[in-house]
Amino acid sequence: MSTTEKRPRLWVAGHRGLVGSAIVRAVAARGDRELLLAGREVVDLTDQAATRAFLLREKPDQIVLAAARVGGIEANRTRPVEFLQENLAIATHVIPAAREAGVTRLLYLGSSCIYPREAPQPIREEALLSGPLEPTNEGYAIAKIAGLKLCQAMRRQHGLLYHAIMPTNLYGPGDNYHPEQSHVIPGLIRRIHEARESGAPEVVIWGTGTPLREFLHAADLAAACLHLLDLADPPDWVNAGSGEEVSILDLARRIAAHLGYRGRLLTDPSRPDGTPRKALDSSRLRAMGWEPRIGLDEGLAAVCREYAGNAARGPVR
Ligand code: GFB
């Protein structure tokens, strides 16, 4: 970009979340876009009129739509109404208003749970809508499929470059460490750290410990998002995974090792496992020049250090 060329103004919707904050850091490091940030106190994306007014006023050139109600298996299972309704509202409020406001480029954040529970592994993009979804997160998945399809329809009908990325399970700095509502990595870090601090002889892992999950660091996803935004003709949606799969029990052992916990790890099969496996085939995105850089053990070591440091300064919310 020449020095006289104006930098595109990018609105990162959801900039305080795990994904949004990683994208903000990546954009700031590159310096090739002007950032527009607006938290819930500025615009509530579940309020259609407020969202439209915000976009018509601010008129960003580009949007990364990372704002969402997110949570782990227990949050999804017990609050399907909010997961479906709020995520559907965010997509149907932001995407059409973006068109009205003249936004030329929009990247929508989805999730690997959009694919059928029994999809052939590793899951290719073509598996979308080929079978029933995993029941524990059906509400979230339906909303994310609707968002993806709305982007695709905008592109088809109006010629706008609105497209999507479907990441595998994510982790990274600034995650949500709520004991019941969080995803597995922050949930286990919290429980295992607390067990080490209190000298508890054992920690219980939800489910059988046998499900396989693929984890991607949020910084690698942020790089993938910016990579896609720079492509002239990106696919309507594309998978983003690390290719590094582990069982939940193996994950717990690794976290215990990083935190220096030597107690026993027990499983609790009375709690749901969710989908047995959801490995993404990310060859399409890799063929376009992106690759993940942070290995699982390196990433886990960093988030365990971050959590332990924060906990040493006071109770983690
Ligand atoms: O991360 P997680 O909640 O997401 O759970 P999902 C992954 C696996 O870890 C499940 C097990 O088999 C859980 O039973 N697990 C073990 C735990 N201990 C814990 C714990 O302390 N906390 C949590 N949370 N899990 C989510 C979806 O599914 O994945 C969302 O609900 C979203 O919609 C996200 O798509 C990426 O992989 O099961």
Side-chain angles (χ1 to χ4, degrees):
M1 188 185 301
S2 83
T3 47
T4 52
E5 212 172 307
K6 198 173 161 292
R7 295 182 306 164
R9 189 152 177 257
L10 170 71
W11 175 32
V12 180
H15 72 278
R16 296 198 182 105
L18 176 66
V19 174
S21 61
I23 291 172
V24 168
R25 286 189 292 276
V27 172
R30 288 179 18 157
D32 58 350
R33 287 175 170 85
E34 184 193 328
L35 280 165
L36 169 63
L37 308 177
R40 200 166 301 178
E41 68 290 354
V42 177
V43 56
D44 175 0
L45 303 182
T46 63
D47 178 336
Q48 184 168 26
T51 305
R52 183 170 175 271
F54 169 79
L55 274 165
L56 291 177
R57 185 173 72 241
E58 295 293 342
K59 292 188 176 302
D61 302 303
Q62 307 181 337
I63 299 176
V64 174
L65 186 39
R69 174 183 270 262
V70 295
I73 191 167
E74 195 57 23
N76 269 273
R77 198 182 63 80
T78 53
R79 298 230 163 267
V81 173
E82 285 92 329
F83 276 83
L84 203 168
Q85 197 183 358
E86 288 177 27
N87 289 309
L88 206 49
I90 291 170
T92 56
H93 297 170
V94 172
I95 296 167
R99 174 176 165 255
E100 271 191 87
V103 175
T104 53
R105 188 102 191 203
L106 183 147
L107 179 66
Y108 180 71
L109 263 296
S111 162
S112 58
C113 69
I114 63 162
Y115 294 113
R117 177 185 160 92
E118 306 296 340
Q121 309 274 329
I123 309 171
R124 292 167 53 85
E125 286 84 355
E126 290 73 15
L128 185 67
L129 296 176
S130 62
L133 298 163
E134 155 62 31
T136 54
N137 54 36
E138 194 181 60
Y140 183 73
I142 292 279
K144 289 294 176 183
I145 293 170
L148 179 166
K149 285 288 166 187
L150 188 52
C151 290
Q152 194 179 33
M154 284 285 176
R155 190 169 183 177
R156 193 169 295 165
Q157 192 176 327
H158 298 297
L160 292 164
L161 269 180
Y162 291 9
H163 53 115
I165 183 165
M166 298 298 139
T168 186
N169 287 40
L170 301 169
Y171 71 103
D175 213 338
N176 166 20
Y177 286 90
H178 189 283
E180 287 284 322
Q181 309 287 308
S182 67
H183 287 105
V184 62
I185 289 182
L188 287 180
I189 289 177
R190 182 179 190 130
R191 271 214 305 295
I192 294 173
H193 182 268
E194 285 174 358
R196 195 196 71 180
E197 294 299 287
S198 67
E202 56 198 36
V203 168
V204 177
I205 299 160
W206 301 353
T208 60
T210 58
L212 295 171
R213 290 291 184 273
E214 179 192 17
F215 294 100
L216 180 69
H217 194 281
D220 280 332
L221 177 68
C225 290
L226 296 186
H227 190 77
L228 281 171
L229 280 179
D230 286 340
L231 295 181
D233 187 20
D236 284 354
W237 75 96
V238 71
N239 293 340
S242 60
E244 215 175 332
E245 236 185 336
V246 285
S247 74
I248 296 302
L249 189 56
D250 184 13
L251 176 74
R253 288 196 185 112
R254 292 183 193 212
I255 291 172
H258 286 298
L259 291 171
Y261 177 68
R262 294 190 216 294
R264 286 195 304 155
L265 300 172
L266 306 179
T267 53
D268 175 5
S270 71
R271 298 196 73 140
D273 273 342
T275 192
R277 187 179 180 204
K278 48 176 170 180
L280 288 180
D281 181 336
S282 305
S283 51
R284 193 164 293 167
L285 185 56
R286 282 173 178 263
M288 288 181 255
W290 168 83
E291 59 175 285
R293 299 190 182 284
I294 305 172
L296 182 59
D297 270 307
E298 181 191 348
L300 283 179
V303 285
C304 286
R305 262 198 316 275
E306 178 197 54
Y307 183 86
N310 288 341
R313 284 190 285 278
V316 180
R317 276 193 306 128

PDB file of all heavy atoms in Angstrom, residues 114-116 118-120 123-133:
ATOM      1  N   ILE A 114     -21.282 -26.292  12.970  1.00  0.00           N
ATOM      2  CA  ILE A 114     -22.294 -26.190  11.899  1.00  0.00           C
ATOM      3  C   ILE A 114     -22.397 -27.491  11.113  1.00  0.00           C
ATOM      4  O   ILE A 114     -23.365 -27.705  10.408  1.00  0.00           O
ATOM      5  CB  ILE A 114     -21.988 -25.043  10.900  1.00  0.00           C
ATOM      6  CG1 ILE A 114     -20.656 -25.303  10.172  1.00  0.00           C
ATOM      7  CG2 ILE A 114     -21.989 -23.694  11.610  1.00  0.00           C
ATOM      8  CD1 ILE A 114     -20.492 -24.502   8.900  1.00  0.00           C
ATOM      9  N   TYR A 115     -21.376 -28.336  11.214  1.00  0.00           N
ATOM     10  CA  TYR A 115     -21.368 -29.564  10.405  1.00  0.00           C
ATOM     11  C   TYR A 115     -22.110 -30.695  11.115  1.00  0.00           C
ATOM     12  O   TYR A 115     -22.181 -30.725  12.348  1.00  0.00           O
ATOM     13  CB  TYR A 115     -19.925 -29.988  10.111  1.00  0.00           C
ATOM     14  CG  TYR A 115     -19.208 -28.988   9.230  1.00  0.00           C
ATOM     15  CD1 TYR A 115     -18.144 -28.238   9.717  1.00  0.00           C
ATOM     16  CD2 TYR A 115     -19.619 -28.777   7.913  1.00  0.00           C
ATOM     17  CE1 TYR A 115     -17.494 -27.301   8.910  1.00  0.00           C
ATOM     18  CE2 TYR A 115     -18.970 -27.852   7.101  1.00  0.00           C
ATOM     19  CZ  TYR A 115     -17.923 -27.124   7.602  1.00  0.00           C
ATOM     20  OH  TYR A 115     -17.286 -26.195   6.804  1.00  0.00           O
ATOM     21  N   PRO A 116     -22.666 -31.651  10.326  1.00  0.00           N
ATOM     22  CA  PRO A 116     -23.404 -32.758  10.936  1.00  0.00           C
ATOM     23  C   PRO A 116     -22.554 -33.544  11.929  1.00  0.00           C
ATOM     24  O   PRO A 116     -21.342 -33.714  11.736  1.00  0.00           O
ATOM     25  CB  PRO A 116     -23.786 -33.635   9.741  1.00  0.00           C
ATOM     26  CG  PRO A 116     -23.758 -32.717   8.569  1.00  0.00           C
ATOM     27  CD  PRO A 116     -22.702 -31.706   8.852  1.00  0.00           C
ATOM     28  N   GLU A 118     -22.406 -36.664  12.427  1.00  0.00           N
ATOM     29  CA  GLU A 118     -21.803 -37.868  11.827  1.00  0.00           C
ATOM     30  C   GLU A 118     -21.051 -37.570  10.531  1.00  0.00           C
ATOM     31  O   GLU A 118     -20.855 -38.465   9.709  1.00  0.00           O
ATOM     32  CB  GLU A 118     -22.888 -38.922  11.550  1.00  0.00           C
ATOM     33  CG  GLU A 118     -23.762 -39.306  12.739  1.00  0.00           C
ATOM     34  CD  GLU A 118     -22.983 -39.984  13.867  1.00  0.00           C
ATOM     35  OE1 GLU A 118     -21.883 -40.498  13.607  1.00  0.00           O
ATOM     36  OE2 GLU A 118     -23.494 -39.968  15.017  1.00  0.00           O
ATOM     37  N   ALA A 119     -20.618 -36.344  10.318  1.00  0.00           N
ATOM     38  CA  ALA A 119     -19.916 -36.008   9.062  1.00  0.00           C
ATOM     39  C   ALA A 119     -18.633 -36.821   8.953  1.00  0.00           C
ATOM     40  O   ALA A 119     -17.956 -37.051   9.964  1.00  0.00           O
ATOM     41  CB  ALA A 119     -19.583 -34.519   9.048  1.00  0.00           C
ATOM     42  N   PRO A 120     -18.264 -37.276   7.724  1.00  0.00           N
ATOM     43  CA  PRO A 120     -16.985 -37.979   7.549  1.00  0.00           C
ATOM     44  C   PRO A 120     -15.827 -37.082   7.994  1.00  0.00           C
ATOM     45  O   PRO A 120     -15.845 -35.877   7.751  1.00  0.00           O
ATOM     46  CB  PRO A 120     -16.911 -38.246   6.040  1.00  0.00           C
ATOM     47  CG  PRO A 120     -18.289 -38.053   5.521  1.00  0.00           C
ATOM     48  CD  PRO A 120     -19.010 -37.139   6.472  1.00  0.00           C
ATOM     49  N   ILE A 123     -13.553 -33.152   8.413  1.00  0.00           N
ATOM     50  CA  ILE A 123     -14.771 -32.610   7.816  1.00  0.00           C
ATOM     51  C   ILE A 123     -14.431 -31.580   6.738  1.00  0.00           C
ATOM     52  O   ILE A 123     -13.740 -30.597   6.994  1.00  0.00           O
ATOM     53  CB  ILE A 123     -15.651 -31.947   8.904  1.00  0.00           C
ATOM     54  CG1 ILE A 123     -15.873 -32.905  10.086  1.00  0.00           C
ATOM     55  CG2 ILE A 123     -16.975 -31.502   8.306  1.00  0.00           C
ATOM     56  CD1 ILE A 123     -16.537 -32.255  11.304  1.00  0.00           C
ATOM     57  N   ARG A 124     -14.966 -31.831   5.548  1.00  0.00           N
ATOM     58  CA  ARG A 124     -14.761 -30.885   4.447  1.00  0.00           C
ATOM     59  C   ARG A 124     -15.905 -29.876   4.415  1.00  0.00           C
ATOM     60  O   ARG A 124     -16.990 -30.154   4.922  1.00  0.00           O
ATOM     61  CB  ARG A 124     -14.713 -31.643   3.114  1.00  0.00           C
ATOM     62  CG  ARG A 124     -13.471 -32.529   2.960  1.00  0.00           C
ATOM     63  CD  ARG A 124     -13.622 -33.485   1.789  1.00  0.00           C
ATOM     64  NE  ARG A 124     -13.969 -32.761   0.565  1.00  0.00           N
ATOM     65  CZ  ARG A 124     -13.077 -32.188  -0.241  1.00  0.00           C
ATOM     66  NH1 ARG A 124     -11.799 -32.284   0.025  1.00  0.00           N
ATOM     67  NH2 ARG A 124     -13.457 -31.549  -1.336  1.00  0.00           N
ATOM     68  N   GLU A 125     -15.698 -28.755   3.787  1.00  0.00           N
ATOM     69  CA  GLU A 125     -16.716 -27.709   3.696  1.00  0.00           C
ATOM     70  C   GLU A 125     -18.016 -28.244   3.086  1.00  0.00           C
ATOM     71  O   GLU A 125     -19.117 -27.824   3.457  1.00  0.00           O
ATOM     72  CB  GLU A 125     -16.207 -26.520   2.860  1.00  0.00           C
ATOM     73  CG  GLU A 125     -15.186 -25.631   3.557  1.00  0.00           C
ATOM     74  CD  GLU A 125     -13.739 -26.128   3.469  1.00  0.00           C
ATOM     75  OE1 GLU A 125     -13.524 -27.239   2.943  1.00  0.00           O
ATOM     76  OE2 GLU A 125     -12.826 -25.409   3.938  1.00  0.00           O
ATOM     77  N   GLU A 126     -17.895 -29.190   2.172  1.00  0.00           N
ATOM     78  CA  GLU A 126     -19.071 -29.730   1.461  1.00  0.00           C
ATOM     79  C   GLU A 126     -20.015 -30.494   2.379  1.00  0.00           C
ATOM     80  O   GLU A 126     -21.141 -30.811   1.992  1.00  0.00           O
ATOM     81  CB  GLU A 126     -18.637 -30.676   0.329  1.00  0.00           C
ATOM     82  CG  GLU A 126     -17.982 -30.025  -0.856  1.00  0.00           C
ATOM     83  CD  GLU A 126     -16.564 -29.551  -0.580  1.00  0.00           C
ATOM     84  OE1 GLU A 126     -15.959 -29.973   0.437  1.00  0.00           O
ATOM     85  OE2 GLU A 126     -16.068 -28.738  -1.382  1.00  0.00           O
ATOM     86  N   ALA A 127     -19.570 -30.824   3.601  1.00  0.00           N
ATOM     87  CA  ALA A 127     -20.431 -31.601   4.507  1.00  0.00           C
ATOM     88  C   ALA A 127     -21.587 -30.760   5.070  1.00  0.00           C
ATOM     89  O   ALA A 127     -22.515 -31.309   5.673  1.00  0.00           O
ATOM     90  CB  ALA A 127     -19.603 -32.157   5.666  1.00  0.00           C
ATOM     91  N   LEU A 128     -21.563 -29.452   4.849  1.00  0.00           N
ATOM     92  CA  LEU A 128     -22.619 -28.590   5.391  1.00  0.00           C
ATOM     93  C   LEU A 128     -23.994 -29.068   4.928  1.00  0.00           C
ATOM     94  O   LEU A 128     -24.186 -29.357   3.743  1.00  0.00           O
ATOM     95  CB  LEU A 128     -22.390 -27.142   4.921  1.00  0.00           C
ATOM     96  CG  LEU A 128     -23.355 -26.122   5.510  1.00  0.00           C
ATOM     97  CD1 LEU A 128     -23.139 -25.954   6.995  1.00  0.00           C
ATOM     98  CD2 LEU A 128     -23.222 -24.777   4.796  1.00  0.00           C
ATOM     99  N   LEU A 129     -24.933 -29.154   5.865  1.00  0.00           N
ATOM    100  CA  LEU A 129     -26.331 -29.510   5.614  1.00  0.00           C
ATOM    101  C   LEU A 129     -26.505 -30.908   5.019  1.00  0.00           C
ATOM    102  O   LEU A 129     -27.462 -31.158   4.292  1.00  0.00           O
ATOM    103  CB  LEU A 129     -26.997 -28.457   4.705  1.00  0.00           C
ATOM    104  CG  LEU A 129     -27.097 -27.052   5.318  1.00  0.00           C
ATOM    105  CD1 LEU A 129     -27.672 -26.048   4.320  1.00  0.00           C
ATOM    106  CD2 LEU A 129     -27.972 -27.068   6.573  1.00  0.00           C
ATOM    107  N   SER A 130     -25.586 -31.809   5.325  1.00  0.00           N
ATOM    108  CA  SER A 130     -25.705 -33.175   4.800  1.00  0.00           C
ATOM    109  C   SER A 130     -26.223 -34.156   5.844  1.00  0.00           C
ATOM    110  O   SER A 130     -26.300 -35.354   5.574  1.00  0.00           O
ATOM    111  CB  SER A 130     -24.343 -33.650   4.268  1.00  0.00           C
ATOM    112  OG  SER A 130     -23.406 -33.680   5.326  1.00  0.00           O
ATOM    113  N   GLY A 131     -26.591 -33.678   7.044  1.00  0.00           N
ATOM    114  CA  GLY A 131     -27.114 -34.589   8.063  1.00  0.00           C
ATOM    115  C   GLY A 131     -27.452 -33.854   9.344  1.00  0.00           C
ATOM    116  O   GLY A 131     -27.202 -32.644   9.463  1.00  0.00           O
ATOM    117  N   PRO A 132     -28.031 -34.591  10.342  1.00  0.00           N
ATOM    118  CA  PRO A 132     -28.434 -33.960  11.598  1.00  0.00           C
ATOM    119  C   PRO A 132     -27.253 -33.424  12.411  1.00  0.00           C
ATOM    120  O   PRO A 132     -26.139 -33.952  12.351  1.00  0.00           O
ATOM    121  CB  PRO A 132     -29.134 -35.095  12.358  1.00  0.00           C
ATOM    122  CG  PRO A 132     -29.408 -36.160  11.357  1.00  0.00           C
ATOM    123  CD  PRO A 132     -28.388 -36.013  10.280  1.00  0.00           C
ATOM    124  N   LEU A 133     -27.523 -32.369  13.196  1.00  0.00           N
ATOM    125  CA  LEU A 133     -26.489 -31.703  13.997  1.00  0.00           C
ATOM    126  C   LEU A 133     -26.330 -32.378  15.345  1.00  0.00           C
ATOM    127  O   LEU A 133     -27.194 -33.141  15.781  1.00  0.00           O
ATOM    128  CB  LEU A 133     -26.887 -30.236  14.192  1.00  0.00           C
ATOM    129  CG  LEU A 133     -26.992 -29.424  12.895  1.00  0.00           C
ATOM    130  CD1 LEU A 133     -27.772 -28.132  13.128  1.00  0.00           C
ATOM    131  CD2 LEU A 133     -25.613 -29.134  12.331  1.00  0.00           C
TER     132      LEU A 133
END
